[in-house]
Amino acid sequence: MSDNQTPLRRACWVALVYLIAGFAWIAFSDTLAEAWFPDPRTLSLVQTWKGFGFVLTTGLVLFAVLARQLIKDRALLNLQRSQRQALRMRERQLQVLMDNLPGMAYRCRCDPQWTMLFVSQGCARLTGYAPEELIENRVASYASLMDEEDNERVYCEVKAALANNESFSVEYSLTRKDGRRIWVWERGRGVEEDDGTVVLEGIVLDISDRKRLESELEEMATRDPLTGLLNRREMSKVLDDELERAQRYQRPMAVLWIDFDHFKDVNDTYGHAAGDSVLRAISRLLLESVRSVDSIGRFGGEEFLIVLPEMDLEEARDTAERLRRKVAEAPQPLGDGRSAPLTISVGIAVYPEHGQTAAALCAAADKAMYLAKDRGRNCVAMAHLRHQVDNDS
């Protein structure tokens, strides 16, 4: 293959060598025969055997050349056949592997539409589209399945990876053909073609289950498992954030500390399952009775904290009274078809009047709640102002 001579040129050289050798043999052998055998009869016999020798010699040479070439051709054909068989087997194995992947293998151009040149059969399971519908954007482009923001972000990340000659890994959401949203993880790298262009090869996997699990774990880390409200740790973060915002914009903020009255009697009389049912019911009631910007959390046991952004003292008192009445007027379900009356005591503290820090506000609201209990329960009490506390002490 590396020889610069073409088959035609090599054949011409062989024919030329044969002609020269033949003419030389005929010319010189006849001259020598006439010189060595002057007798005409002997010369005729010698020339006959000379002709037989020439034919035999050329026949043997031709046989050797053809045999050598045919052996080489047979070996080449056997090699090509074995290579084709190995290639077909490899293609079958690769096809089986790609068809059984949990996601989709692909080959695409690095353009804003992610024009697909090849996709495996897993494309139908992943996107709902048949492979031929996505190839060359015949029905839909792969980019049309992505959000515009995700598409721009992924395009930038892929370009950066190609510039550094690195593989890339990205996560984004897709809209399937049936309209369902899924999360996918893609890993690939750039491959340079013979013409110098770069295409992308990789795999796309469905990670929706993993994303759901992450969301559930995140929810479990921030929510109280019984009531679904924010837990103590997350509520403390919310309180710090809202307090920082109130300080920055010089706005008021109220904190309500709620405790159930005689809740132990519910557990002792009806059982802890009934007590849990009451906690869940009142949690729903409180959540439905506040604004969307307000936050409710369970601080422990039967104590709840409500953060009311941009709410002054009077508004906070009105809100606390409204919540107290709603709880008192509605018997709470025990989970077995029965219900029991329950009341709450509410303590109120407002920034900046009752404290400048989250700890100070919580302490003031907690003291106010105990003040409400001392006043007979089922009532609302306001925290003392700081200078009043100093004077009382």
Side-chain angles (χ1 to χ4, degrees):
M1 295 298 293
S2 61
D3 194 346
N4 293 327
Q5 294 186 3
T6 63
L8 182 60
R9 180 178 296 180
R10 295 179 66 184
C12 290
W13 272 107
V14 171
L16 182 61
V17 170
Y18 175 76
L19 290 174
I20 293 173
F23 284 134
W25 170 264
I26 293 172
F28 291 106
S29 63
D30 287 347
T31 303
L32 291 173
E34 290 175 356
W36 290 348
F37 303 100
D39 180 52
R41 192 170 180 181
T42 305
L43 178 62
S44 176
L45 184 62
V46 169
Q47 287 179 334
T48 300
W49 283 104
K50 180 172 66 71
F52 286 147
F54 177 79
V55 171
L56 180 62
T57 301
T58 55
L60 290 174
V61 171
L62 183 61
F63 171 79
V65 171
L66 288 176
R68 179 173 178 270
Q69 186 61 45
L70 290 175
I71 290 172
K72 289 175 63 177
D73 290 345
R74 184 179 182 87
L76 181 61
L77 289 174
N78 287 333
L79 177 61
Q80 291 176 340
R81 184 177 62 179
S82 62
Q83 288 177 338
R84 284 197 298 269
Q85 291 175 344
L87 181 60
R88 282 196 294 268
M89 181 176 294
R90 184 178 179 184
E91 288 176 347
R92 284 197 301 269
Q93 293 173 343
L94 184 60
Q95 188 66 41
V96 171
L97 175 63
M98 288 192 296
D99 289 345
N100 287 278
L101 284 174
M104 174 187 82
Y106 71 88
R107 180 182 178 87
C108 75
R109 297 191 183 98
C110 185
D111 58 24
Q113 297 303 315
W114 307 114
T115 302
M116 290 295 170
L117 304 175
F118 162 81
V119 289
S120 66
Q121 293 298 322
C123 171
R125 295 189 298 270
L126 184 74
T127 67
Y129 289 91
E132 57 271 16
E133 292 180 308
L134 288 186
I135 293 177
E136 296 294 349
N137 306 328
R138 292 192 181 103
V139 175
S141 67
Y142 191 76
S144 67
L145 310 184
M146 304 168 61
D147 291 338
E148 185 175 350
E149 293 182 357
D150 281 344
N151 191 21
E152 293 177 358
R153 173 179 58 82
V154 171
Y155 188 74
C156 292
E157 292 186 22
V158 170
K159 280 292 189 181
L162 293 180
N164 295 324
N165 195 27
E166 298 175 346
S167 59
F168 57 87
S169 297
V170 288
E171 293 182 6
Y172 52 89
S173 60
L174 285 181
T175 302
R176 286 171 42 88
K177 189 175 184 179
D178 56 12
R180 183 163 60 90
R181 300 282 292 175
I182 61 172
W183 275 93
V184 298
W185 174 79
E186 177 182 344
R187 183 170 181 82
R189 69 174 302 118
V191 178
E192 187 173 352
E193 299 278 73
D194 293 336
D195 59 1
T197 60
V198 176
V199 298
L200 304 179
E201 292 182 352
I203 186 172
V204 182
L205 302 179
D206 186 348
I207 59 168
S208 300
D209 291 339
R210 195 198 81 188
K211 282 291 185 179
R212 271 194 297 272
L213 179 60
E214 288 177 356
S215 179
E216 291 174 1
L217 292 175
E218 184 178 353
E219 188 79 5
M220 291 173 60
T222 60
R223 297 284 174 176
D224 174 61
L226 177 62
T227 63
L229 300 178
L230 298 177
N231 58 27
R232 186 187 187 104
R233 183 180 63 181
E234 190 66 19
M235 196 62 195
S236 298
K237 290 172 58 178
V238 170
L239 178 58
D240 290 335
D241 293 341
E242 292 297 340
L243 182 58
E244 181 182 354
R245 190 174 295 109
Q247 292 170 342
R248 182 184 305 119
Y249 298 106
Q250 295 298 304
R251 302 289 179 82
M253 184 194 75
V255 173
L256 306 184
W257 196 287
I258 298 174
D259 189 81
F260 296 175
D261 297 328
H262 302 296
F263 184 73
K264 185 175 182 301
D265 294 342
V266 175
N267 284 330
D268 293 343
T269 304
Y270 303 105
H272 289 279
D276 292 344
S277 178
V278 169
L279 284 174
R280 286 191 293 266
I282 293 184
S283 297
R284 288 192 298 269
L285 177 62
L286 295 176
L287 197 59
E288 294 168 358
S289 303
V290 297
R291 304 169 302 175
S292 59
V293 296
D294 301 331
S295 301
I296 306 178
R298 184 185 180 195
F299 251 48
E302 62 272 15
E303 292 186 329
F304 291 77
L305 183 70
I306 302 179
V307 176
L308 307 170
E310 299 191 12
M311 188 171 288
D312 59 22
L313 191 147
E314 292 302 323
E315 292 173 324
R317 181 185 287 114
D318 293 341
T319 299
E321 282 290 349
R322 178 167 53 82
L323 296 177
R324 183 195 62 79
R325 286 195 302 269
K326 279 196 171 188
V327 173
E329 292 170 358
Q332 304 304 316
L334 300 174
D336 58 359
R338 297 177 297 170
S339 60
L342 195 71
T343 60
I344 58 174
S345 297
V346 185
I348 305 173
V350 177
Y351 169 83
E353 289 89 345
H354 302 116
Q356 299 284 332
T357 65
L361 287 172
C362 286
D366 186 37
K367 289 180 181 179
M369 182 271 295
Y370 280 106
L371 180 61
K373 286 188 176 293
D374 291 340
R375 292 176 179 174
R377 294 182 171 81
N378 190 25
C379 68
V380 174
M382 184 68 64
H384 290 297
L385 296 177
R386 282 172 295 170
H387 70 273
Q388 291 177 339
V389 174
D390 295 338
N391 292 336
D392 292 342
S393 60

